[in-house]
Amino acid sequence: MKLAHVIHDFFQHCSHRRASYRTFSLPLLLLALLAAPAANSAVMPQDSTHQSLGVVNCASSMCHGAISPWKDSHILHNEYSTWLRLDKHAEAYNVLLGDDSKRIARKLGLAKPASQEKICLDCHAHNPAPEKRGERFSLSDGVSCEGCHGPAEQWIKTHTKATATHASNLRDGLYPTDRPVEVAKLCLSCHLGNEKKLVTHRLMGAGHPRLAFDLDTFSAIQPPHYRIDKDWQERKGDYDGVRLWAIGQAMAVRTQLATLADPVQGRDGLFPELVVFDCHACHHPMSDKKWQPRQGTGPGHIRLNDSNLLMLRNIVRVVNPARAAALSAQIQRLHKSIAGETGMQGSDPLAEARKLSAMVDEQIVFFEKRHFSGADLHAILRQLIDEGLANGYTDYAGAEQAFMAIASVANYLQKTGDPGVARDINLRLAAMRKTLSNDEHYQPAQFKAELQKLRLVIAGSAARAQ
Ligand code: HEC
Ligand code: HEC
Ligand code: HEC
Ligand code: HEC
């Protein structure tokens, strides 16, 4: 992934993303509780039984196609313009017409061009069943409004009425993109995969780019076509960006473990589906000789891609310390079981994965009720750094996640009134980014040296603040 570009955009856009951190009145709190995720989760836009009508229905200048944001309105009204001009989702279908996609389709031996194959369209467009497409629906809209907000058949007419509420829109089939678990599930369905679609190692072998996703970073660079302010929170409930990030990490782990444990998706012939493992465990020159012990496993094994697990473990250490040791132990059991380490013979990796997944679910429920404070942010940042100083980021994927996480945390520190620390961190991030510019030549020692410098900077600003 083009990380340099990602982070460049990330910092360009972060100033637009001011969430307000106020104390809440009782009615607001009640509203937030009512908006809490329902036990039965929402139907994915693609699987809905409602008709999809097409972007053209949203694009009028009086609706969502204004040139610039309106003042004194709940919403910005220029959502369509932002999506069309700045959001890569509008281009997602066109990508399938390009040379890279032609090459991928040819190597996979697909019968039709990529732009007509379900396997590609399921992620590069909003792709409901043909009988669920309205007259003006077009696949070439790519990942359209309805691809995230759900088919509009039932809410297109009612959602603009004065009597419409967020709850009534949801009842009419609007997808709950405001709820952390649901939005994470939505984004991850394409940015990692789910039980129905997946960028497999075969797709990557044919040339599909490697996927890396961080809910907070990717929400910032999309860029957002919405403003999360007091008005948004009054309509949709309490917003906590760090909670959203934490839930995104946990949901990614959950998805990865589900893929691993799926008897169909998790296998590719004799081998497990390689996409849940660390790519560079296999893809590096034999002359590197850079193996180091980690997670209690010996040399010469494939390793699970544990980048999201590393983030989750550090979040849990800070906000739910009572469960941290058990979670870490189970993560290690899974690693050891996959590697068939001494003492683990006879242990079933899939059973270990399912056990870990249940623990992750428990954390998601915990996060949903937890407010993440400024003190939590500082502690999570320290944890993320210490993980690296203890050689936690020997794999590129882990370092990449840690980098996006540290950037997100710095962003929130800035917003919660700690601009001194954030500025210092931002300066170091530029240097740190350089050590990640090429995944194939990643040197863990260089990344670790940058973490060391970052820790000194943070200690320095903390001392100055006293
Ligand atoms: C599970 C979802 C999923 C499936 C299936 C999938 N893709 Fe993708 N694809 C993505 C995502 C997400 C990205 C963007 C990755 C990023 O930038 O982080 C992407 C990126 C790409 C890119 C690079 C785009 C660019 O802007 O450079 C190409 C080319 C591509 N996909 C082609 C295909 C083709 C061809 C198929 C079918 C054989 C396919 N994809 C199937 C999710 C998917
Ligand atoms: C990749 C997913 C995605 C796509 C595509 C997308 N949105 Fe959104 N949209 C979101 C998310 C996430 C939010 C923020 C959470 C929320 O308010 O529900 C949001 C919020 C909104 C809001 C509500 C803002 C508020 O203050 O309540 C509107 C209106 C909106 N989008 C319109 C559109 C339109 C119109 C399009 C197509 C031109 C579109 N969206 C495409 C994900 C998406
Ligand atoms: C239906 C599938 C789908 C869903 C749902 C989806 N995406 Fe995407 N996303 C894609 C594809 C495909 C691309 C690549 C498009 C391209 O390269 O032109 C992409 C690209 C992006 C990019 C650009 C990445 C880059 O390399 O510059 C961002 C950021 C992003 N998505 C964020 C999100 C977020 C945040 C959500 C959830 C609110 C989300 N996406 C939901 C399919 C999806
Ligand atoms: C268990 C080892 C293993 C893991 C883990 C693994 N791969 Fe592979 N990869 C292979 C093998 C084996 C091939 C086939 C090599 C060949 O055909 O010469 C391959 C081929 C490829 C190719 C095609 C290279 C070419 O010469 O055209 C790409 C690209 C690729 N893998 C990407 C990835 C990505 C991205 C990941 C992580 C998500 C990954 N691999 C994880 C073993 C692995």
Side-chain angles (χ1 to χ4, degrees), residues 26-45:
L26 195 63
L28 237 155
L29 234 152
L30 282 174
L31 216 134
L33 286 176
L34 286 174
N40 53 337
S41 64
V43 181
M44 298 303 279

Side-chain angles (χ1 to χ4, degrees), residues 49-88:
T49 52
H50 301 173
Q51 292 264 328
S52 291
L53 307 180
V55 169
V56 62
N57 291 283
C58 322
S60 130
S61 63
M62 292 308 291
C63 301
H64 300 292
I67 302 300
S68 49
W70 288 13
K71 294 205 177 72
D72 307 323
S73 172
H74 289 311
I75 61 160
L76 297 174
H77 288 279
N78 66 341
E79 296 84 3
Y80 169 75
S81 317
T82 304
W83 173 82
L84 188 68
R85 286 187 299 117
L86 304 172
D87 192 325
K88 279 199 164 187

Side-chain angles (χ1 to χ4, degrees), residues 340-387:
E341 286 302 327
T342 341
M344 295 299 289
Q345 287 102 336
S347 125
D348 173 9
L350 303 191
E352 301 293 353
R354 279 191 288 271
K355 230 163 126 186
L356 180 55
S357 190
M359 294 171 100
V360 174
D361 284 353
E362 184 201 317
Q363 294 313 310
I364 293 172
V365 173
F366 180 83
F367 292 165
E368 283 186 298
K369 300 200 187 95
R370 179 74 154 69
H371 171 71
F372 288 70
S373 67
D376 290 334
L377 281 181
H378 278 282
I380 291 173
L381 185 59
R382 267 197 309 275
Q383 275 296 141
L384 291 172
I385 294 172
D386 287 348
E387 176 81 55

